[in-house]
Amino acid sequence: MAFDLVSHFASYGAYHNNKTNKIIHIIFVPMIVWSLILLLRLIPFESLLSFPVSDEKDGFEFHWGAVVLAMLLLYYYALDFGVGLVATAKYGMLYYAANLVYNHMGSTSATRLAIAVQIISWTFQFIGHGVFEGRRPALFDNIFQTLVAPFFVTLEIMFLLGYKPKLRRQCENKIEAFLRQVNVNKKAK
């Protein structure tokens, strides 16, 4: 493994330890990804090329959403190949769906929808952290967490389905140790 998955997951998991907050993230992180893809669809990729990439309107149009998604998925494969495969299928379907919505609704309506989904999804993220987790979101300590959240949401679901139980125990033990240290630091202040 090229990256320390246990440490990455523990860092993320320490901010996502409450069951309700986890459910909120499982629902709304993919919605954030979907609506971001939809927004990136608005930036024509052809602007960098001297020829159109595709004249088709079938959901497979190539645009900046594909570039961003491909970079993220490469990193996800480096963290864990199995999760990378599942994330490719999951977020690939969201990419396809975002393109279909854009093609069906047009750019103005699709933009409004994407912005509304972003606002609603981020609102729920902050409610999850403020009300249920009792901690500010990880992105305030490390903005990079926003890029790995889709990976960890996928991994969380896979853990629930029995994926790599030994890895899951390692991650949970590291999260518990991290949270104990956070509590010690709070008491010291």
Side-chain angles (χ1 to χ4, degrees):
M1 188 175 337
F3 299 91
D4 183 2
L5 177 57
V6 174
S7 292
H8 276 322
F9 189 80
S11 176
Y12 178 85
Y15 290 88
H16 306 89
N17 206 37
N18 174 275
K19 186 176 182 177
T20 303
N21 192 32
K22 286 181 185 180
I23 292 168
I24 288 170
H25 281 68
I26 287 169
I27 294 167
F28 289 102
V29 165
M31 298 296 291
I32 290 169
V33 172
W34 176 82
S35 56
L36 178 61
I37 292 168
L38 191 53
L39 289 170
L40 289 170
R41 173 70 173 86
L42 300 169
I43 304 169
F45 197 76
E46 291 87 7
S47 64
L48 295 180
L49 304 171
S50 60
F51 58 91
V53 176
S54 172
D55 289 330
E56 299 298 318
K57 300 286 186 196
D58 59 4
F60 290 108
E61 295 85 9
F62 188 74
H63 55 82
W64 286 108
V67 174
V68 171
L69 196 55
M71 289 189 301
L72 287 176
L73 289 170
L74 285 173
Y75 180 64
Y76 297 171
Y77 278 103
L79 287 171
D80 185 279
F81 189 81
V83 179
L85 281 174
V86 172
T88 297
K90 177 180 175 181
Y91 295 109
M93 286 186 283
L94 291 178
Y95 178 86
Y96 180 76
N99 286 331
L100 289 177
V101 166
Y102 178 88
N103 292 338
H104 178 71
M105 296 180 77
S107 64
T108 302
S109 295
T111 301
R112 289 181 183 143
L113 176 62
I115 291 169
V117 170
Q118 283 283 320
I119 291 169
I120 291 165
S121 297
W122 282 106
T123 299
F124 272 94
Q125 300 286 313
F126 285 110
I127 290 170
H129 283 283
V131 174
F132 299 104
E133 193 72 49
R135 274 190 90 181
R136 67 186 189 170
L139 67 94
F140 287 118
D141 292 332
N142 181 354
I143 193 70
F144 181 69
Q145 291 291 333
T146 60
L147 301 176
V148 295
F151 173 88
F152 289 118
V153 165
T154 304
L155 181 58
E156 189 75 49
I157 293 167
M158 291 175 71
F159 277 164
L160 292 172
L161 297 173
Y163 183 73
K164 294 187 177 181
K166 182 179 175 185
L167 177 63
R168 181 181 183 177
R169 282 191 302 279
Q170 290 174 326
C171 290
E172 288 172 349
N173 290 340
K174 190 135 186 165
I175 290 167
E176 289 171 11
F178 185 82
L179 289 173
R180 280 194 301 275
Q181 185 62 44
V182 167
N183 289 332
V184 166
N185 292 344
K186 279 184 182 177
K187 289 177 184 175
K189 289 182 181 182

